[in-house]
Amino acid sequence: MDLFIKIGMLVVFFAVTVAIGLYCRKHSTDVNGFVLGGRSVGPWLTAFAYGTSYFSAVVFVGYAGQFGWKYGIAATWAGIGNALLGSLMAWAFLGRRTRVMTQHLDSATMPQFFESRFDSKALKLAASAIIFIFLIPYTASLYNGLSRLFGMAFDIDYTVCVIVMAVLTAIYVVAGGYMATAINDFIQGIIMIGGIIAVIVAVLNSKGGFLAALQQLGEVSVPANAGPVASPGVFASFFGPDPVNLLGVVILTSLGTWGLPQMVQKFYAIKSEQAINKGMIISTLFATIVAGGCYFLGGFGRLFADKLTFNEAGGIVGGYDAVIPTMLSELPTILIAVVVVLVLAASMSTLSSLVLTSSSTLTLDFIKGTLVKKMDEKKQLLTMRGLILMFIAISVVLAIVQYKSSVTFIAQLMGVSWGALAGAFLAPFLYGLYWKKATRASVWCSFLFSTVVMLANILWRPLFPALLQSPINAGAFCMLAGLVIVPVVSLVTPKMDKAYVDKVFSCYHRQVTVNVTDSIGDNQ
């Protein structure tokens, strides 16, 4: 009976997602519809698409488990940062300007924006290459959280889980494009909100309620052979045992959304300025519940240490990714089924966003006009759909290889990807929207700096200072460095043509001529 409930919920979930993809075929008959939904997506769909692309199994299983274990209840700061900096401020600073300027420049992807804003095709090609290379490890990391949960709930081979998820995601994205992704994201977002609330309540109740669990967490200390020694009470404290590294987590996971192409592209498609204001509020509330809930839940991970297995060095067998599944393993069957659907929904929504971004970028920014000089709408759509399948296949292979060889864990893969992408793009995109004096050279410097630093962090990590050996801290450093690099380099490198830049920025100050009927007043 238990297995029937779990499988039944999955079958219903899969049937709905595929049906939506087939229904949305009518919205994906041209490039604009397939990539941006015709730029007519409302605030609820856009806000949920933004939120579900933001949070996946990487956050629920990987980040919540790792940072909850390291920082205790203080890990909730990451969720608060995601809501305020990663959602509220991102929408406030980027939403309207992105929508207006990208429509003015007729750009459907971030590389197209760089080409049109800075009048450089080379920048477009470089940006598309960076996106393709660094989205792959992020996409591969999405599958890893599922392996733990499906193993706990069904005892199904990881390879089967990965392939089923990949095939179903491919069906609805290839069929319905952005609109199918947005509608599915809305449904998946509702599942995520309900699921995370139910799970938090159940886990805390298993420890006697919130106050009792917090008191128990305050009594936890770390054995000398299990990492840094921490005094009792520190895991229940306001800033936790390591506020400096916690700040790096907040910056990477919050500020990073400002430069991630799959996140920023959501603003390209929103319907109107009024929709942006509504979407900002909805997205912030979504992030508060989902991200805040995930990290808050992970903060109680040490209360379940007696159910984990440790090696001789004091490390958790299976890594931090084992923490959350262990916390959930003794929940009632119906809640375990909800958790599996929750994480599956989060991962599929993020996967669909990533593969759509990558395929559209490669087709519109790299293949069209470079490898294939003439490419009509039909060929572009066919190419994008083919690349979606290829990109998903590559990510599946990498995920399976990574899992069987135990190369790294979820947070490292995501940290490298976010650090390189957001570090390269955040500052050029932000300054490109607001500052007329940003130059091509400054964009190249930002691209090169972040990609070189993150690649070096992978290959020669011991050579980095201790604080920057973590991919998360290195990624946060790249983002902040870019905000300095772009203005400094712009001030000492050749300026762009003033007439061209004024034309780009004219979208913010469009003049409108109005006919007025003259009348004779008392003052005339």
Side-chain angles (χ1 to χ4, degrees), residues 77-427:
W77 280 110
I80 296 172
N82 291 174
L84 298 181
L85 181 58
S87 296
L88 179 67
M89 293 181 67
W91 279 73
F93 281 90
L94 300 181
R96 179 182 178 275
R97 283 192 168 248
T98 299
R99 176 65 173 83
V100 172
M101 186 176 279
T102 55
Q103 183 171 7
H104 175 64
L105 299 177
D106 193 27
S107 59
T109 65
M110 187 175 275
Q112 283 185 347
F113 169 84
F114 288 127
E115 177 189 31
S116 300
R117 168 63 180 85
F118 296 99
D119 194 22
S120 171
K121 185 176 180 179
L123 280 177
K124 179 180 76 170
L125 297 176
S128 62
I130 293 171
I131 288 172
F132 181 71
I133 292 170
F134 286 99
L135 277 187
I136 289 177
Y138 184 16
T139 308
S141 73
L142 295 178
Y143 300 99
N144 287 274
L146 296 174
S147 66
R148 306 281 184 183
L149 293 173
F150 269 78
M152 174 189 71
F154 299 104
D155 195 24
I156 297 175
D157 183 71
Y158 174 59
T159 303
V160 176
C161 302
V162 169
I163 292 174
V164 169
M165 172 183 160
V167 169
L168 292 167
T169 304
I171 290 173
Y172 79 77
V173 178
V174 168
Y178 183 83
M179 188 58 75
T181 299
I183 295 174
N184 269 316
D185 286 348
F186 180 74
I187 295 172
Q188 291 161 356
I190 292 173
I191 294 171
M192 291 166 66
I193 290 174
I196 193 66
I197 292 173
V199 168
I200 289 172
V201 171
V203 169
L204 292 182
N205 282 341
S206 72
K207 293 297 179 181
F210 170 65
L211 293 179
L214 193 64
Q215 182 177 355
Q216 294 173 51
L217 191 64
E219 297 170 357
V220 172
S221 59
V222 183
N225 68 335
V229 178
S231 59
V234 72
F235 292 110
S237 64
F238 198 62
F239 291 115
D242 191 359
V244 174
N245 279 304
L246 177 59
L247 179 62
V249 174
V250 174
I251 293 173
L252 178 80
T253 61
S254 303
L255 190 61
T257 60
W258 295 43
L260 293 176
Q262 74 273 18
M263 302 298 296
V264 173
Q265 198 163 339
K266 301 296 185 290
F267 300 133
Y268 291 35
I270 199 164
K271 187 175 183 179
S272 64
E273 189 159 341
Q274 186 180 20
I276 292 173
N277 295 330
K278 288 182 180 178
M280 176 172 62
I281 297 171
I282 297 166
S283 179
T284 303
L285 292 175
F286 182 90
T288 301
I289 297 170
V290 175
C294 286
Y295 290 111
F296 176 77
L297 176 66
F300 292 93
R302 286 186 179 269
L303 297 184
F304 296 82
D306 58 321
K307 295 182 174 63
L308 293 165
T309 304
F310 296 86
N311 55 34
E312 294 181 357
I316 301 171
V317 175
Y320 295 114
D321 303 344
V323 174
I324 296 296
T326 300
M327 295 175 69
L328 307 178
S329 61
E330 296 184 1
L331 293 180
T333 300
I334 187 67
L335 274 182
I336 290 179
V338 168
V339 170
V340 170
V341 174
L342 181 160
V343 176
L344 189 64
S347 298
M348 288 179 69
S349 60
T350 306
L351 177 63
S352 64
S353 178
L354 293 177
V355 297
L356 189 59
T357 298
S358 183
S359 66
S360 60
T361 294
L362 276 183
T363 302
L364 301 178
D365 305 326
F366 197 84
I367 298 174
K368 180 185 175 184
T370 304
L371 300 179
V372 180
K373 297 299 180 183
K374 293 184 178 180
M375 203 173 190
D376 59 25
E377 290 255 334
K378 186 176 181 180
K379 287 183 179 178
Q380 291 176 49
L381 285 171
L382 184 62
T383 303
M384 277 189 279
R385 287 182 162 114
L387 287 173
I388 286 172
L389 298 176
M390 184 192 77
F391 194 73
I392 288 178
I394 292 173
S395 66
V396 166
V397 171
L398 286 178
I400 293 173
V401 170
Q402 185 273 327
Y403 175 75
K404 293 187 179 298
S405 60
S406 301
V407 175
T408 184
F409 52 85
I410 293 175
Q412 286 182 325
L413 287 173
M414 186 177 173
V416 170
S417 176
W418 275 47
L421 290 165
F425 297 146
L426 189 157

